[in-house]
């Protein structure tokens, strides 16, 4: 794992975050065969309700991101976790998720949830490795068979 990066706390209005999210959407479109296949998900991935974002800057350039928004009292939903392909395997996603967990806990959240796609095997493995456990799909994903929903209790011993 490399250590030559900077974590930056920001929000969903940061243009660097928006750019990385556009790349994430393009990547997902490629994986599932186009935006039409993801149409039902797009409305749940807007950036305007994400007020807590972590960016990874490498050599001053944004290379990874993730954020969360309130889902319910005490529960934050992790959104838009993405690492540029040429920067994967360097620990950036773990660093982002650790920072998000810490920030969420400091804001009084006791639980994180997230949804990912069943075809994103590396993402599922990462989330499992850091203590997220599969749960029943929560709304609005409860009717979407390609969704995999997970949760992590903050302060869990599996950190």
């Amino acid at each position: 794992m490399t250590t030559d990066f900077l974590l930056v706390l920001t929000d969903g209005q940061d243009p660097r975050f928006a750019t990385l999210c556009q790349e994430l959407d393009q990547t997902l479109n490629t994986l599932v065969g186009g935006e039409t296949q993801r149409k039902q998900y797009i409305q749940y991935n807007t950036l305007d309700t994400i007020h807590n974002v972590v960016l990874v800057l490498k050599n001053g350039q944004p290379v990874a991101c993730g954020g969360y928004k309130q889902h319910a009292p005490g529960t934050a939903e992790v959104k838009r976790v993405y690492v540029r392909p040429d920067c994967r395997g360097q620990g950036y996603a773990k660093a982002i998720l650790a920072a998000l967990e810490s920030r969420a806990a400091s804001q009084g959240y006791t639980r994180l949830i997230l949804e990912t796609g069943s075809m994103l095997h590396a993402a599922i493995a990462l989330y499992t490795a850091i203590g997220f456990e599969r749960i029943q799909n929560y709304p609005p994903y409860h009717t979407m068979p390609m969704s995999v929903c997970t949760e992590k209790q903050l302060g869990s011993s599996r950190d």
Side-chain angles (χ1 to χ4, degrees):
M1 175 168 66
T2 185
T3 58
D4 62 341
F5 65 93
L6 177 67
L7 291 178
V8 176
L9 294 173
T10 187
D11 63 31
Q13 302 308 305
D14 190 311
R16 299 170 295 182
F17 180 56
T19 297
L20 288 170
C21 288
Q22 289 171 349
E23 291 179 26
L24 169 59
D25 289 336
Q26 291 169 357
T27 298
L28 293 172
N29 287 343
T30 299
L31 286 172
V32 301
E35 188 173 304
T36 302
Q37 301 298 324
R38 293 183 42 251
K39 192 174 191 175
Q40 62 186 338
Y41 292 91
I42 292 171
Q43 63 187 317
Y44 306 116
N45 290 319
T46 62
L47 307 184
D48 56 339
T49 59
I50 302 175
H51 303 295
N52 293 278
V53 169
V54 174
L55 296 175
V56 171
L57 302 183
K58 182 176 180 180
N59 300 320
Q61 297 301 310
V63 298
C65 64
Y68 66 82
K69 66 180 185 177
Q70 182 169 332
H71 179 78
T75 301
E77 182 180 18
V78 175
K79 303 293 291 179
R80 314 308 286 164
V81 176
Y82 175 71
V83 178
R84 286 187 169 154
D86 61 329
C87 295
R88 293 182 183 158
Q90 298 179 44
Y92 297 149
K94 283 184 181 180
I96 287 168
L97 290 162
L100 292 174
E101 287 179 30
S102 177
R103 181 130 175 106
S106 75
Q107 293 177 337
Y109 291 104
T110 58
R111 175 178 175 240
L112 293 178
I113 59 172
L114 66 82
E115 180 274 340
T116 192
S118 60
M119 79 296 281
L120 300 175
H121 303 291
I124 293 168
L126 168 69
Y127 300 138
T128 301
I130 63 170
F132 280 83
E133 297 179 351
R134 183 128 187 212
I135 58 172
Q136 184 173 3
N137 286 5
Y138 54 86
Y141 307 108
H142 61 290
T143 61
M144 299 179 189
M146 297 302 290
S147 288
V148 173
C149 292
T150 64
E151 73 173 353
K152 183 175 184 179
Q153 300 298 322
L154 296 179
S156 167
S157 61
R158 289 186 62 195
D159 287 5

